[in-house]
């Protein structure tokens, strides 16, 4: 039982550190990446994982809060990808150009948003 | 030249403000009002102050008349904006919102309403209260507008809620005036601090404010998104 508790606490710290690492890397990516789409990836993917991981770590450290934290994680899983999808889609539809180094544009190739162009 | 002029104006204003404000004592002892709050709300000498934090007690009980003023200011601002937007042609959207956004909104909308209601019902127990709760409800309405292009909000319902809630606020205050001798007197007593049904009129007022602000801002969202 004590062993389990120790594992729980260390796993909690592990998830907290992973979460803070990703929450640090997200803003760094927003500063470093060249265009909207890359920045969107840094700003939303890493914060989704970072927030979920940090919250889960807190939940492991304080088991009484785990129920609320599961609800919070579900909320982030539901809203963060949807909102980043909406931002990316509207950026593409209002013809924000890709950066010069990008080589693949699947939407262009497959004419997904052809009617908007 | 313009920048230098602006710099001079801002610098003079800043120096003047700093000079004037530095004469006002700050952090040296408590003023009369602060002493009253400390004795009555923090030390719980007042049998009518029943919220779990002092800010709620001050904002809703001791300065409830102020809050009525704030609600009025918000009402005036919303009315002014709707006058401004009246007859203005709104932007036409060229494309439908994507399926993902529509589905996501369908899932998240009831929970947004629930969160708003939760926040203003628990106004006397948690940080929050009527204004944030109402704003959250209005964001839900905005989300519906963003994902359904042909949605029409029930404007008359908003107006009815807004008006009746404003009247209810004043009626609660007047009952306090009749029973206790002062406007917004807490005629229900404090009850047991920390329970959902406690703190007398604070939850009533917060529900009133929450519904009023929610209806008002939803009407505002409607005015900005629809052709009137």
């Amino acid at each position: 039982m004590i062993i389990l508790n120790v594992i729980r606490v260390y796993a909690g710290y592990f998830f907290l550190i992973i979460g803070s690492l990703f929450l640090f890397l997200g803003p760094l990516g927003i500063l470093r990446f060249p265009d909207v789409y890359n920045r969107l990836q840094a700003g939303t993917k890493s914060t989704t994982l970072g927030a979920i991981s940090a919250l889960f770590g807190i939940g492991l450290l304080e088991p009484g809060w785990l129920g609320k934290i599961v609800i919070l994680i579900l909320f982030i899983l539901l809203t963060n990808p949807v909102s980043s999808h909406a931002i990316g889609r509207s950026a593409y539809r209002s013809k924000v150009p890709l950066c010069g180094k990008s080589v693949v544009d699947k939407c262009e190739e497959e004419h997904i948003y052809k009617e908007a162009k | 030249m313009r920048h230098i002029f602006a710099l001079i104006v801002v610098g003079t204003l800043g120096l003047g403000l700093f000079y004037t404000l530095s004469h006002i004592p700050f952090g040296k002892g408590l003023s009369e009002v602060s002493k009253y709050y400390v004795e009555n709300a923090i030390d719980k000498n007042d049998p009518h102050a029943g919220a779990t934090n002092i800010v709620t007690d001050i904002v809703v009980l001791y300065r409830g008349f102020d809050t009525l003023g704030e609600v009025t200011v918000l009402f005036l601002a919303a009315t002014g904006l709707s006058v401004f937007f009246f007859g203005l042609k709104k932007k036409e959207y060229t494309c439908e919102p994507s399926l993902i956004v529509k589905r996501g909104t369908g899932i998240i909308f009831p929970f947004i309403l629930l969160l708003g209601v939760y926040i203003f019902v628990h106004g006397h127990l948690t940080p929050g209260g009527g204004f944030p709760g109402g704003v959250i409800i209005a964001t839900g309405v905005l989300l519906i507008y963003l994902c359904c292009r042909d949605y029409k909000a029930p404007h008359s319902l908003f107006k009815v809620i807004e008006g009746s809630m404003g009247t209810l606020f004043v009626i609660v205050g007047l009952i306090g005036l009749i029973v206790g001798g002062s406007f917004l007197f807490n005629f229900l007593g404090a009850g047991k601090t920390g329970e959902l049904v406690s703190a007398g009129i604070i939850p009533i007022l917060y529900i009133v404010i929450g519904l009023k602000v929610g209806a008002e801002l939803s009407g505002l969202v409607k005015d900005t998104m629809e052709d009137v």
Side-chain angles (χ1 to χ4, degrees), chain A residues 58-80:
Chain A
I58 294 168
L60 285 180
L61 289 176
E62 291 278 346
W65 299 353
L66 204 56
K68 287 181 187 176
I69 279 171
V70 166
I71 294 174
L72 279 177
I73 287 176
L74 283 179
F75 181 77
I76 291 173
L77 271 180
L78 196 62
T79 53
N80 214 342

Side-chain angles (χ1 to χ4, degrees), chain A residues 8-9 25-26 34 47 50 67 71-72 74-75 98 102 107 110 117:
Chain A
R8 177 177 62 81
V9 168
L25 288 176
T47 48
I71 294 174
L72 279 177
L74 283 179
F75 181 77
L98 276 69
S102 302
C107 292
E110 300 179 5
K117 297 230 162 191

Side-chain angles (χ1 to χ4, degrees), chain B residues 116-128:
Chain B
V117 172
Y118 176 89
I119 282 181
F120 67 67
V121 168
H122 287 74
H124 56 302
L125 302 175
T126 54

